[in-house]
Structure formats: structure tokens, C-alpha cells
Amino acid sequence: MERTMTMNPFAKRDGHDKLSIIIYRVLTLATWLAVAAIGIVFSIRKATPSDAKTIWDQNDAFPTHFSLHRWTATVYGALLLLLQPAFIYFLYTNNEDLVNAAANVGSHFIVSNVMFVAWILFWVYEWFWIAEIPIILNFFNLTSLYFRHRRAPPFVHVPVVSGPLALNFVMLFWTGAAAINVHNVVARVFANSFVWAILFYGLFFTVAFKDYAMGYALSLLSLSLAIQQHATRDVAETHGPHLQWVFAFIITALLFTITVTFSAPPVLLGKELVFAQLDDAEDEDLEHRPLLDHE
């Protein structure tokens, strides 16, 4: 068992040897730079050969019920990339607890970055079905990360766990819709139904785990969806009434309002941070547990 734990790069450990830390330092920084560089380059210029498009050219060329607004989604991605170097920095500190907290999620972070790079490359070449594969794999990777490291500190949880997981969840629908590329009544009904998954997914983490970062992240992403769907409503209405933008705005309003409602009172009372206080419920259970051991 101990040998298996040693060989498993995703295992949670109380400490890491120097070689492991060096590897995490190199790979986390390298893969982060790869995502940033490739994401920026393919957002503003076409890939080669010349028939390839930028990320947002593809978004416009294949409009779907889950297409995102380029500037709102770009702001989300930029914020995520700007927050992540803080996490990488803690791998270089002399504080053993901070280093260990960052290293414990390092393997998941590296895999996530590789999956996002793969998605970009497949997406710009219109290989939408293949692009869905790294997004599905990354969904399992990030979900595993989330539930295995629920007590991760905010500097890890927000940029490495909740932020990427929220984006990846929306990208499942965005990429899948582009792959299917069907615009009939049946597709419209399915899209109008599945869009509510964003609300329920966000509420699950916000209410059950007090993960307000997830609530705010999905609020911004659903706003991006709403703006784009409103912008393309005239084209979409050639196939019948287009309600996706209405639903997306409702989801944005509900999710944002509920997240603020849950997060604001504790913050104003000084009891907890807005983000990633995922172990409060467990702490409350401990407070109310009978003190049998002390009797």
C-alpha cells in the first residue's frame, strides 16, 4: 500500500521530497506558460494551415445554443491565468505547509493544463468531437481534485480547483454543441433543458459546500452565455423562438443572487472568507458532537 501511494502522483501526502518539489515546480510553470501562450496566440491569430481559425472565429463560425461571448469569456480566462501564478509561487516558498498544500494538487493542475492545451489545438482545427475528449477527461480529473482536496486553502482552491472546474463544466456543453452542430427543434429543446444544469451545478457547490467561488464563477460564465445568445438571437429565431438567452440571464441572476445571499452575511460578521470555506459543516458537526471522550 505504501509503495502504491509513493508511486501515485495524485495521492495526498503529508510531505514531499526535494525531487518531487523540483518536478512540480518545473511542470506547473511549464504547463501554465503553455496554456497562457497557446491561448493568447490562438485567440488573436489563426493557426496554420490557413484554413484553421482562431478560438473565437470558430465560436462565431459554428454558433450554437452554448456559444460564449468572446470578451466576457476572455476576461474569465485572463483572471484565472492571473490568479494561478500565486499558487505556483507557493511551490518556491520556504514554508513547508504552503509548499505541501500546493504540491498535493500539482499533478491535477498539470493534467488540467495539458487537457486545456489539447482542447485549444483540436478546437481551432474544427476537430470538435475529438476536442470533447480532453474536456471529458479533465472533468473527471478536476472533480476528483475537488473532492479529494476539499480543505485546500483559498490560494489553491480558487485558481486551481473551482475556477477551472466551472469553466470545464461549461465547455462540456459548448464543445459538445459545436460537435453535434444541429439546429432543429429537438436540438433547441435539449439545449433549453440542459442549460439549467449550470444553475443546479452551481447551487450544489454553493449550498452544500459553501463554495462561493464556484457560484461566482458560474455566474460570470452564464452571463457570457446569455450575452452571446442574445447577440445571435435573430439568426437563431429562423428555426423558431429563441429562449436560450432568456434562460441564461435568469440563471445568471438566480445564481449570483443566491451566492451573494449565502456569502455576504458570514463575511460581514467576520466568520469566514468568501471563498472555499468547505470544511465549516464538518467543524460545526464537531462542535455539536457529545464530549464523551471527556466524561
Side-chain angles (χ1 to χ4, degrees):
M1 176 64 72
E2 293 182 0
R3 181 178 176 81
T4 302
M5 291 288 290
T6 302
M7 296 177 61
N8 181 9
F10 300 101
K12 188 174 182 179
R13 297 179 174 85
D14 295 327
H16 297 78
D17 57 54
K18 292 183 179 180
L19 178 60
S20 297
I21 297 301
I22 293 173
I23 293 173
Y24 282 129
R25 287 173 178 174
V26 172
L27 293 182
T28 53
L29 181 59
T31 56
W32 177 83
L33 287 173
V35 172
I38 293 175
I40 292 172
V41 168
F42 288 155
S43 291
I44 60 179
R45 59 174 295 181
K46 297 180 179 181
T48 55
S50 58
D51 59 344
K53 300 181 177 66
T54 68
I55 294 173
W56 299 110
D57 284 344
Q58 294 287 33
N59 186 66
D60 297 336
F62 296 90
T64 71
H65 287 84
F66 287 97
S67 296
L68 301 179
H69 182 251
R70 69 168 64 198
W71 296 117
T72 315
T74 298
V75 168
Y76 183 94
L79 288 174
L80 206 56
L81 287 172
L82 290 173
L83 288 172
Q84 287 173 347
F87 150 75
I88 298 173
Y89 164 76
F90 284 107
L91 286 169
Y92 292 85
T93 65
N94 295 322
N95 187 312
E96 186 176 346
D97 292 334
L98 294 179
V99 172
N100 190 56
N104 271 331
V105 303
S107 296
H108 291 280
F109 179 71
I110 293 166
V111 170
S112 178
N113 287 340
V114 171
M115 292 298 103
F116 279 129
V117 168
W119 176 84
I120 293 172
L121 296 177
F122 291 137
W123 176 266
V124 298
Y125 286 108
E126 298 182 17
W127 298 341
F128 299 135
W129 280 108
I130 302 178
E132 185 77 350
I133 295 174
I135 295 302
I136 293 173
L137 294 176
N138 204 28
F139 178 74
F140 288 109
N141 169 54
L142 293 173
T143 301
S144 173
L145 167 61
Y146 191 100
F147 289 105
R148 294 179 66 183
H149 299 276
R150 284 175 51 194
R151 292 176 179 269
F155 74 84
V156 172
H157 185 80
V158 176
V160 179
V161 187
S162 287
L165 180 57
L167 177 61
N168 198 94
F169 182 75
V170 173
M171 289 175 68
L172 283 170
F173 298 103
W174 181 21
T175 309
I180 296 172
N181 195 29
V182 176
H183 300 277
N184 55 31
V185 175
V186 175
R188 184 186 300 275
V189 171
F190 272 100
N192 291 164
S193 301
F194 283 123
V195 70
W196 293 98
I198 299 175
L199 174 64
F200 297 132
Y201 193 72
L203 290 180
F204 172 73
F205 289 102
T206 301
V207 177
F209 298 110
K210 297 183 181 180
D211 187 351
Y212 312 130
M214 183 69 80
Y216 288 121
L218 286 172
S219 296
L220 181 56
L221 290 168
S222 59
L223 176 62
S224 178
L225 174 64
I227 295 173
Q228 182 66 13
Q229 295 304 308
H230 182 267
T232 59
R233 68 190 185 282
D234 292 338
V235 176
E237 284 177 352
T238 59
H239 303 280
H242 184 55
L243 300 175
Q244 191 79 338
W245 68 274
V246 178
F247 295 152
F249 273 120
I250 293 174
I251 291 167
T252 301
L254 287 175
L255 193 53
F256 182 78
T257 301
I258 293 171
T259 303
V260 170
T261 301
F262 273 82
S263 64
V267 173
L268 293 176
L269 294 174
K271 291 185 176 180
E272 59 183 286
L273 297 172
V274 173
F275 299 122
Q277 296 298 316
L278 306 181
D279 56 339
D280 288 350
E282 297 177 14
D283 292 341
E284 291 175 4
D285 289 341
L286 290 174
E287 292 176 4
H288 293 88
R289 188 176 298 170
L291 302 177
L292 297 179
D293 295 337
H294 300 282
E295 293 182 357

